[in-house]
Amino acid sequence: MDKEERMEKARALHKQGCNCCQSVVMAYADRLPIKAEDAMNVAAPFGRGLAGCREVCGCVSGMAMVCGLTGHTADTRPLIEKFRTEEGDIVCGRLLAQGKKPCGEMVADAAGLLADII
């Protein structure tokens, strides 16, 4: 799958009801060393800023999970900083308050950022 396909997959998963973290993680399910069902379950509590607390954005958590599971741990921080630069923050509540982009577009952006390293 190329970058655009991963971005579209993440966007589509979000439209289907996956939270932000699940959408990013599942866009890479074919690259993960765990079952897709397990990846979906692990990512579930990280949506909506960590179980709905509006803290760290689920997109950011999803990128970190994919990095860890694919052996790209060293890329995690630079990736998060790139997300912060492009989106304006990494905290769910502040991102929502900015109103710059809907979550469905941020999950696509996160999936695209991952495609640059994976």
Side-chain angles (χ1 to χ4, degrees), residues 60 63-64 75-85 90:
V60 173
M63 291 188 307
D75 295 313
T76 306
R77 176 110 188 230
L79 195 63
I80 290 169
E81 293 304 331
K82 190 165 188 176
F83 183 91
R84 182 193 317 265
T85 299
I90 63 166

Side-chain angles (χ1 to χ4, degrees), residues 34-56:
I34 62 174
K35 294 179 196 171
E37 179 183 353
D38 292 337
M40 181 73 95
N41 290 335
V42 167
F46 291 85
R48 300 172 320 281
L50 191 55
C53 293
R54 303 288 190 231
E55 294 298 332
V56 175

